[in-house]
Amino acid sequence: MGRLSRSVLGFLLLCCLIVAGEAEYLKYNDPKMPVGVRIKDLMKRMTLEEKIGQMVQIERTVATPDVMKQYFIGSVLSGGGSVPGPKASAEAWVNLVNGIQKASLSTRLGIPMIYGIDAVHGHNNVYNATIFPHNVGLGVTRDPQLVKKIGEATALEVRATGIPYAFAPCIAVCRDPRWGRCYESYSEDHRIVQLMTEIIPGLQGELPANSKKGVPFVAPGNTKVAACAKHFVGDGGTTKGIDENNTVISMNGLLNIHMPAYYNAISKGVATVMVSYSSWNGKRMHSNQDLVTGFLKNKMKFRGFVISDWQGIDRVTSPPHANYSSSVQSGVDAGIDMIMVPFNFTEFIDDLTYQVKNNIIPMSRINDAVQRILRVKFVMGLFEKPLADLSMAHHLGSQEHRELAREAVRKSLVLLKNGKYTTAKPFLPLPKKAPKILVAGSHADNLGYQCGGWTITWQGLGGNDLTT
């Protein structure tokens, strides 16, 4: 009888413990709590390993369930051309993203990862998505409302594949046409680039009137994505247009030409900012504490997170990866919050962990980075709805979006010469009864060339079978 009583008591005690565990109130999981309270509650529960994990962004090809759970990875990306399979459907993308997300949700604290992709002229990595003109064409339209509509359409198509984060817009000011990425710049005139930051409320939603300066904003629901202003700062002003090179300009010139669009982006609640590979007067931007922390975070009051470019930490040194520990220290100290590793993440995690434990990098810098990352995740509702479904799939490549793209093409066409200053007849308008019109050149019948770089693959490909 006594033995039975002890068994019953043990069972009742176990039940009480289970109920108590289930009843534990977690402020960070309560959407009714202020974002600041949720961040503070979650931060006090996190270990150093969990905090450092949040600062890491890895490529989807290495984002196995075991990796996500073991290292508490905070973010995953698809590099240019990194897809679930050839001509992958929206369903294949959603299944990929959800599979990774479920691993993140199974960790001790269940912090969702944020998946990012370069949707720079439409959802350009994805088969059948609507491909919009590149920024160099959109700048020509001088039509910020059109660009805003393109942001709205792009957000819907990115969400159609289960992805909540786009590495766009590029707000570089291309000052030398020899720069091979000029097509990613809206204009050589910073005023036009500033106008085109209207794509940000298209991607993220309209900033509420009572918002504080610099606070990231993504509208609730599943129709908007977190945006990313890039590449901070001066990437379009390098000497002779050499990519990833040195922008030689005074502080006054930097502020008057390359910085203005960042003021606009931050005033519109942009969630993230990506750092440039380039240097300013010989100082690599990925290690420039004065500009990243001193100017962007402190003076401009930006409160979203700062992300590195692809292996940007490695490229602090020349040749890349020559002194990795030093690069990690200078990059994190500079104010980079999320590091796009993307493959050799264990080396970064081990190095950063060592430096924090040995007081080389202060814990306050880690806490600042993680708070910023969590702020964006909370603001965009990732904790409430971490998993995607197929309810948005019909937006991918929709007829409405294709008509919008055609409007953008019409408005971006530029006539270089019409013969009005010569004895020849004007070229346009074409005679309505012309029996033949010759369209010539390598791009005349090549969809890949017409779409350009950042289409299906990073640098684009020739041919007519890449997308529809």
Side-chain angles (χ1 to χ4, degrees), residues 439-450 462-464:
V439 182
S442 61
H443 291 51
D445 184 26
N446 193 312
L447 180 62
Y449 286 169
Q450 289 170 22
N464 287 319

Side-chain angles (χ1 to χ4, degrees), residues 69-233:
K69 287 185 280 191
Q70 182 178 347
Y71 296 100
F72 313 104
I73 300 297
S75 184
V76 177
L77 84 152
S78 274
S82 179
V83 299
K87 300 182 179 180
S89 65
E91 184 177 8
W93 278 99
V94 168
N95 289 339
L96 165 72
V97 176
N98 280 352
I100 298 170
Q101 188 67 283
K102 287 174 183 175
S104 294
L105 298 176
S106 70
T107 56
R108 184 178 73 92
L109 295 170
I111 304 172
M113 65 87 193
I114 181 171
Y115 198 106
I117 196 165
D118 286 279
V120 297
H121 66 131
H123 198 8
N124 47 265
N125 284 279
V126 176
Y127 182 77
N128 199 41
T130 308
I131 304 298
F132 292 95
H134 273 291
N135 287 0
V136 70
L138 297 181
V140 168
T141 70
R142 307 293 199 273
D143 189 343
Q145 290 307 307
L146 173 66
V147 170
K148 182 179 180 179
K149 290 178 184 177
I150 288 171
E152 292 170 351
T154 300
L156 289 172
E157 298 208 14
V158 173
R159 282 288 193 171
T161 55
I163 297 172
Y165 179 25
F167 304 128
C170 177
I171 52 175
V173 183
C174 179
R175 304 294 287 179
D176 190 318
R178 290 174 291 186
W179 187 40
R181 297 181 71 162
C182 262
Y183 69 93
E184 295 185 55
S185 171
Y186 290 110
S187 179
E188 65 182 341
D189 185 339
H190 70 83
R191 291 168 296 186
I192 294 170
V193 179
Q194 287 179 270
L195 284 175
M196 297 303 155
T197 59
E198 194 61 16
I199 195 172
I200 292 169
L203 290 164
Q204 295 191 159
E206 205 68 55
L207 190 68
N210 59 348
S211 295
K212 292 183 180 178
K213 181 184 177 183
V215 176
F217 173 77
V218 182
N222 60 351
T223 63
K224 300 298 180 182
V225 296
C228 180
K230 64 184 188 182
H231 308 84
F232 188 83
V233 59

Side-chain angles (χ1 to χ4, degrees), residues 378-436:
F378 281 126
V379 163
M380 64 191 299
L382 204 54
F383 279 76
E384 285 67 64
K385 198 174 186 301
L387 296 174
D389 55 45
L390 291 172
S391 63
M392 302 291 288
H394 64 283
H395 289 293
L396 188 68
S398 72
Q399 189 60 34
E400 181 183 357
H401 294 169
R402 294 187 190 280
E403 290 302 327
L404 180 64
R406 291 186 178 101
E407 178 188 351
V409 170
R410 287 194 299 272
K411 290 184 175 179
S412 68
L413 294 175
V414 178
L415 179 63
L416 298 182
K417 185 178 180 182
N418 203 23
K420 63 181 178 180
Y421 298 116
T422 70
T423 56
K425 291 181 180 180
F427 181 67
L428 293 179
L430 293 171
K432 291 182 179 179
K433 295 183 179 180
K436 291 182 180 179

Side-chain angles (χ1 to χ4, degrees), residues 204-322:
Q204 295 191 159
E206 205 68 55
L207 190 68
N210 59 348
S211 295
K212 292 183 180 178
K213 181 184 177 183
V215 176
F217 173 77
V218 182
N222 60 351
T223 63
K224 300 298 180 182
V225 296
C228 180
K230 64 184 188 182
H231 308 84
F232 188 83
V233 59
D235 48 341
T238 55
T239 302
K240 298 180 180 178
I242 299 170
D243 193 32
E244 303 180 22
N245 205 259
N246 191 22
T247 297
V248 180
I249 195 171
S250 67
M251 184 64 168
N252 188 54
L254 189 77
L255 295 181
N256 286 331
I257 296 172
H258 299 285
M259 194 70 77
Y262 285 95
Y263 283 104
N264 295 82
I266 290 167
S267 71
K268 291 173 182 177
V270 74
T272 72
V273 171
M274 185 182 291
V275 181
S276 177
Y277 286 133
S278 58
S279 303
W280 176 51
N281 295 336
K283 177 75 171 178
R284 284 284 182 190
M285 282 305 310
H286 273 75
S287 60
N288 196 318
Q289 188 179 52
D290 290 339
L291 285 176
V292 176
T293 294
F295 201 88
L296 177 65
K297 289 184 173 181
N298 294 343
K299 187 161 188 176
M300 295 174 77
K301 308 296 183 186
F302 175 63
R303 294 181 65 193
F305 69 77
V306 177
I307 186 169
S308 81
D309 208 332
W310 177 279
Q311 295 180 329
I313 291 281
D314 301 55
R315 303 192 202 191
V316 167
T317 57
S318 185
H321 208 83

